[in-house]
């Protein structure tokens, strides 16, 4: 066993994620990781992109930041040694939902996609399906936090209605029909506002032609509603 391998083994043994591995499993992981250093202010992961790697912090500190289309940002979390990022994109193959930026000089271990995949359950197993479900929920939670932190009530209500509309098949003009009556109380609980405020916002949205209530209570959502988000 080379000195480099021993060094990697020592490093991964310090990471809680790998603490339960057997010796043989630890050797496989150690052979698959590389050490990488980031300077203060350097981006570790970029929102909207894919890095195809799992990154584990060994030393230092980093912040998880989500930015909207206007450049406004919210800090979702602070990462410290033992924390890891990039796993959601490796599991569901989607771009990163947030950026990760080093707050101080930060040393990491990086595991590529092939090695990470070897550590996962079989892709057709229940465990893997549950992992993908958990990642989906985490992404929704990140979007919710970003919405509450960065958007006004109009933007949050518009975002909630667009989420409902995303489940419907859009028409030729891009409009989507939300079947069934949309509860103002439910929307209020989703966006962190009072029912009265949500009712006023939805009434204004209707008067401005963003949405249209049908006779059966269904709601037609026009595509330009996304301009408010």
């Amino acid at each position: 066993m080379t000195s480099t391998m021993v060094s990697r083994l020592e490093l991964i043994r310090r990471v809680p994620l790998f603490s339960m591995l057997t010796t043989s499993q630890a050797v496989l992981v150690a052979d698959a990781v590389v050490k990488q250093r980031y300077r203060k202010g350097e981006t570790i992961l970029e929102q909207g992109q894919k890095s195809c790697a799992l990154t584990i912090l060994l030393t230092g500190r980093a912040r998880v930041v989500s930015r909207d289309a206007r450049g406004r940002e919210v800090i979702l979390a602070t990462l410290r040694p033992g924390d890891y990022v990039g796993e959601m994109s490796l599991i569901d193959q989607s771009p990163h939902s947030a950026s990760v930026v080093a707050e101080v000089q930060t040393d990491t271990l990086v595991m590529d996609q092939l090695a990470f995949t070897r550590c996962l359950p079989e892709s057709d197993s229940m465990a893997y399906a549950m992992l993908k479900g958990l990642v989906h929920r985490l992404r929704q939670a990140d979007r919710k936090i970003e919405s509450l932190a960065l958007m006004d009530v109009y933007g949050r209500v518009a975002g909630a209605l667009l989420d409902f509309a995303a489940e419907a098949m859009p028409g030729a003009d891009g409009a989507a029909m939300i079947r069934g009556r949309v509860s103002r109380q439910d929307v209020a609980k989703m966006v962190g506002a009072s029912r009265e405020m949500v009712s006023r916002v939805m009434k204004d949205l209707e008067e401005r032609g963003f949405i249209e209530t049908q006779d059966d209570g269904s709601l037609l959502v026009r595509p330009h509603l996304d301009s408010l988000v």
Side-chain angles (χ1 to χ4, degrees):
M1 188 176 297
T2 67
S3 59
T4 300
M5 178 64 73
V6 171
S7 176
R8 289 177 183 171
L9 276 173
E10 291 173 348
L11 287 173
I12 67 170
R13 286 302 191 191
R14 301 174 192 170
V15 179
L17 178 64
F18 301 134
S19 62
M20 301 299 291
L21 296 180
T22 65
T23 300
S24 59
Q25 290 172 329
V27 169
L28 289 175
V29 171
D31 192 37
V33 297
V34 294
K35 191 174 179 180
Q36 188 162 344
R37 172 169 290 176
Y38 294 90
R39 300 183 302 274
K40 178 181 178 180
E42 194 171 357
T43 299
I44 299 173
L45 297 182
E46 184 70 40
Q47 182 175 343
Q49 297 183 4
K50 293 182 182 180
S51 63
C52 299
L54 177 73
T55 301
I56 306 130
L57 271 67
L58 289 176
T59 66
R61 188 174 67 251
R63 63 175 57 182
V64 182
V65 180
S66 180
R67 300 182 180 91
D68 66 8
R70 302 178 190 177
R72 299 174 299 180
E73 65 179 40
V74 58
I75 299 174
L76 299 176
T78 298
L79 304 177
R80 292 181 170 81
D83 291 330
Y84 50 91
V85 291
E87 78 287 354
M88 293 199 301
S89 291
L90 288 175
I91 291 171
D92 69 2
Q93 305 302 307
S94 296
H96 301 304
S97 58
S99 295
V100 179
V101 180
E103 291 189 340
V104 296
Q105 180 174 287
T106 300
D107 288 325
T108 68
L109 287 177
V110 181
M111 178 187 289
D112 65 26
Q113 185 169 12
L114 179 60
F116 179 80
T117 302
R118 289 173 179 164
C119 297
L120 291 178
E122 295 296 326
S123 60
D124 59 350
S125 69
M126 179 183 293
Y128 189 77
M130 291 178 67
L131 280 175
K132 294 190 72 172
L134 287 171
V135 166
H136 178 67
R137 292 183 185 180
L138 285 171
R139 290 189 183 279
Q140 287 182 317
D142 284 348
R143 287 194 294 269
K144 180 70 70 176
I145 293 170
E146 178 184 316
S147 170
L148 291 173
L150 300 179
M151 294 182 187
D152 57 16
V153 177
Y154 273 83
R156 300 204 298 270
V157 171
L161 295 178
L162 288 169
D163 284 344
F164 282 129
E167 301 176 4
M169 183 69 69
D173 60 353
M177 185 72 72
I178 302 175
R179 300 292 178 184
R181 188 175 300 277
V182 176
S183 165
R184 270 54 170 176
Q185 185 64 46
D186 287 348
V187 174
K189 291 178 181 178
M190 292 173 65
V191 304
S194 68
R195 183 187 184 283
E196 293 73 17
M197 174 61 77
V198 168
S199 294
R200 288 198 296 272
V201 169
M202 291 185 65
K203 180 179 179 182
D204 186 57
L205 292 177
E206 187 148 19
E207 290 174 350
R208 294 163 62 186
F210 288 103
I211 60 177
E212 181 181 329
T213 302
Q214 308 299 295
D215 292 339
D216 63 356
S218 298
L219 196 68
L220 182 68
V221 177
R222 303 197 183 280
H224 58 291
L225 180 64
D226 62 9
S227 64
L228 299 179
V229 176

